Structures are given as C-alpha cells and as structure tokens.
Amino acid sequence: DDVCTLDTCVDGGCLYDIQDIEGCCEPLPLEEDFEGTSPFGWSLQGGGGQCTWQFLSGNQSKSPTTALYYGNATAQNYNCGITSGNAVLGPISLQPEVELSFSAQVWLDTEMGSFYDKLQLRGKTDTGSGTIWTKGFETKKAWFEIKADLSAFAGRTIHLDWYFDTFDGTINDGKGVFIDDMKITSTCAAVPCSFDSDCSDGFTFTSESCESGTCSYSAP
C-alpha cells in the first residue's frame, strides 16, 4: 500500500513495481550494462589514431555481450601514441536526502599505478566536479568491482565521466580498459549517524556533518 509502487499478487507472491511518480524514490537510479541504448545518453570524446572510447561487443565483457572500451578494437591494444579521452554519461538526476552507492566492473590490461595510463571516474555537476575513483595497482587482466559512496550527490544532477590518459606512448601494447555493469543504488532513506565521523564518504571534495541523526553533505 505504497503510492510509489504498483502492488500485485502474482503466483502467490507479492510483486511491487516502482512507479515513475514525482517525489517517489527509485532504488536503482542507474543500471548500465551496455546491452542497449542508455536512457541517459553517452558522449564519447577525445582519443587519438584508432584509440577511442567505444562500445565493443563479442570481446571482453562481464555480462554478455558488450562493454565500454578504450583502445584500438582492430589491433587489440591502445598503442596509438599519447592519447586521452572521456566517456561521459548523463545527466542523471538523483533523489535528495537519500543514501546512494555506485558500483562498476573494471578489466585492465594497462600499466599499473595511478600516473601512467591514468583511469579515473569523475562526478560532475553544474557547479563543480570531484574524483570518485582512481586506478591504482589493481589486478591486471581480471574483472574487479569498484564501489563508492555517492550520498554527497543526493539531490543533484550528475554526469559520470570516465577519463583515460596514457601520458606517454610506450608500453601500450596491452588490450586497454573495459568497463561494464555500472549501477547506482539507493536505500531510499537518509544516511543515519551519531557523529560527524559516521558520515565520512572518503572524498576530499565534500564536507560532511551529522545533523539530527542523519548525514548532511556539501558537494561541488
């Protein structure tokens, strides 16, 4: 009996379908598996030579059959000299005053570390931006999951920006970067707290405080 859901009994069990009604919370604001057209829209920018951000099918994906890829799809490497590019998704409008989490699957065949072959995910709003995740010394040639707390962006309209930069033209004979199964999930409730420290999201570009038992954030 929730105005935000259509409630039905199917085969002896209750089924609750979220309705697109203003003011109602969506527990899965983003689910991007690259298997169809995104409702938010992608902008693929930059690159050099045959190396670009692109949607690649039948090669390397976490869930069949397509993933977001940076590199040369024909040569199966990113050996195109010094190149960089952005894959930007959005705008995505996020519910205010709720807890939000981001996750994605990443597969890398690049130089390890955060300087050469830099890979970052950035969150951008109309007033600023901040880095959500940066590649470090993660396992090469294996899928791994990244997670981040996006609660500081609640109530904002955000663009998610994957940025890749080789920084040099050497040791670029690996397959490159693959991204799959991006999600933003919500508890549809505010983040509870007792102290300011309970609200820490790990970002240097936000400030957090505990006010009346729930977390309050400021973000760019």
Side-chain angles (χ1 to χ4, degrees):
D1 189 20
D2 187 331
V3 69
C4 294
T5 61
L6 176 64
D7 311 328
T8 56
C9 180
V10 179
D11 296 329
C14 291
L15 181 67
Y16 305 98
D17 291 321
I18 300 294
Q19 301 301 290
D20 187 14
I21 300 173
E22 184 176 357
C24 292
C25 180
E26 168 57 65
L28 190 62
L30 171 67
E31 186 174 24
E32 174 61 272
D33 61 4
F34 304 100
E35 301 305 319
T37 301
S38 170
F40 301 106
W42 282 94
S43 174
L44 306 181
Q45 309 161 3
Q50 298 298 310
C51 293
T52 61
W53 281 110
Q54 57 199 281
F55 305 117
L56 190 61
S57 298
N59 190 288
Q60 185 75 41
S61 61
K62 178 63 175 180
S63 60
T65 57
T66 305
L68 178 65
Y69 170 63
Y70 189 92
N72 181 337
T74 301
Q76 292 290 288
N77 61 39
Y78 59 104
N79 191 14
C80 301
I82 301 174
T83 66
S84 64
N86 299 74
V88 184
L89 177 66
I92 305 168
S93 296
L94 299 175
Q95 187 83 6
E97 300 179 355
V98 294
E99 184 174 2
L100 295 161
S101 299
F102 173 85
S103 65
Q105 295 287 335
V106 180
W107 192 98
L108 299 173
D109 187 6
T110 63
E111 292 181 76
M112 300 175 75
S114 59
F115 185 78
Y116 294 105
D117 299 345
K118 179 188 291 289
L119 176 65
Q120 290 184 329
L121 175 65
R122 302 168 176 173
K124 296 184 175 182
T125 69
D126 58 352
T127 56
S129 65
T131 300
I132 295 171
W133 176 82
T134 297
K135 174 179 75 71
F137 289 89
E138 287 79 9
T139 302
K140 297 176 63 175
K141 301 183 184 180
W143 285 102
F144 61 93
E145 185 178 45
I146 65 171
K147 294 183 177 182
D149 184 350
L150 290 190
S151 301
F153 290 97
R156 310 295 297 274
T157 297
I158 188 175
H159 287 79
L160 295 174
D161 177 11
W162 288 104
Y163 170 69
F164 183 70
D165 191 335
T166 63
F167 274 88
D168 66 7
T170 62
I171 319 177
N172 294 343
D173 54 352
K175 289 185 73 171
V177 175
F178 295 84
I179 310 293
D180 207 352
D181 295 344
M182 296 171 53
K183 292 181 182 180
I184 297 177
T185 58
S186 175
T187 61
C188 291
V191 182
C193 61
S194 298
F195 307 98
D196 289 351
S197 58
D198 296 334
C199 304
S200 177
D201 56 13
F203 298 144
T204 59
F205 59 87
T206 64
S207 60
E208 311 90 23
S209 61
C210 184
E211 301 178 5
S212 302
T214 60
C215 291
S216 177
Y217 299 90
S218 65

